Amino acid sequence: MSNDVLLTKEGLEKLKGELVLLKTVERTKVADAIKEAKSHGDLKENAAYHEAKLNQQRLDSRIADLEKAIMRAKIVERPEDRHDLAHLGSKVKLEDVEFGDEFTITLVGSFGADATHNLISISSPLGEALLSKVVGEVIEVEAPGGNQKYKILAVESV
């Protein structure tokens, strides 16, 4: 199971869509950029060419990562009878017990994690602490700055 990439159905479809986009539109753009840069002459000192080749490597790496994730994908469904349970794909509203700040996160698989967009991996300390918890529970998360306590205010299916 450690090699599985846990996803919701929607998360898997999003990855498949990104893969198609990268293999078609983005690959064409990168190939065009390389072709354009080559037309400018000497490749040893051609910054545009080197940048285009670097972009090609990044793109190929992302495509490979997506293909591996899709191949290892394991769809995780929310238990139908437990809509109050924090689970993969749940949107969870939390309150910082110490400061009273409220914020909302979405629990995602590790491949979809993006803290800047409040997408928190279920394998992160916060994600692990939230799994299978319900509204009203207080969780404690070990953080670099010390233990943090959060109260679960709401759980909703995404």
Side-chain angles (χ1 to χ4, degrees):
M1 174 149 175
S2 64
N3 288 331
D4 290 342
V5 176
L6 303 177
L7 297 167
T8 61
K9 284 182 186 177
E10 297 79 17
L12 178 59
E13 291 308 312
K14 183 178 175 185
L15 292 184
K16 286 179 178 179
E18 181 182 352
L19 182 60
V20 168
L21 179 71
L22 294 180
K23 283 184 158 183
T24 56
V25 175
E26 295 302 318
R27 228 184 216 161
T28 302
K29 285 181 185 177
V30 168
D32 290 344
I34 291 171
K35 185 178 177 180
E36 173 67 24
K38 278 184 175 181
S39 72
H40 295 290
D42 185 11
L43 298 182
K44 287 183 181 178
E45 296 182 22
N46 187 332
Y49 174 76
H50 293 290
E51 181 68 24
K53 290 299 282 183
L54 183 60
N55 287 338
Q56 181 182 41
Q57 289 174 339
R58 289 179 184 144
L59 178 65
D60 288 344
S61 177
R62 180 65 179 165
I63 288 171
D65 288 346
L66 287 171
E67 288 174 338
K68 286 177 192 170
I70 290 168
M71 185 175 66
R72 295 183 188 162
K74 180 178 179 188
I75 302 300
V76 178
E77 297 291 336
R78 168 189 279 292
E80 288 297 320
D81 59 338
R82 294 298 309 262
H83 295 286
D84 61 337
L85 199 66
H87 197 270
L88 181 69
S90 294
K91 195 173 263 191
V92 183
K93 185 174 183 180
L94 299 168
E95 175 186 19
D96 184 313
V97 172
E98 183 178 354
F99 299 105
D101 297 333
E102 293 181 9
F103 59 98
T104 302
I105 62 157
T106 302
L107 293 173
V108 297
S110 58
F111 201 82
D114 182 355
T116 60
H117 291 98
N118 297 320
L119 302 174
I120 304 300
S121 170
I122 58 172
S123 59
S124 70
L126 178 58
E128 283 182 357
L130 284 169
L131 282 179
S132 300
K133 300 297 189 283
V134 295
V135 174
E137 284 192 64
V138 174
I139 61 164
E140 192 167 335
V141 179
E142 189 174 327
N147 287 347
Q148 303 277 322
K149 289 185 180 181
Y150 301 103
K151 182 175 182 178
I152 302 172
L153 301 178
V155 176
E156 99 182 48
S157 296
V158 176

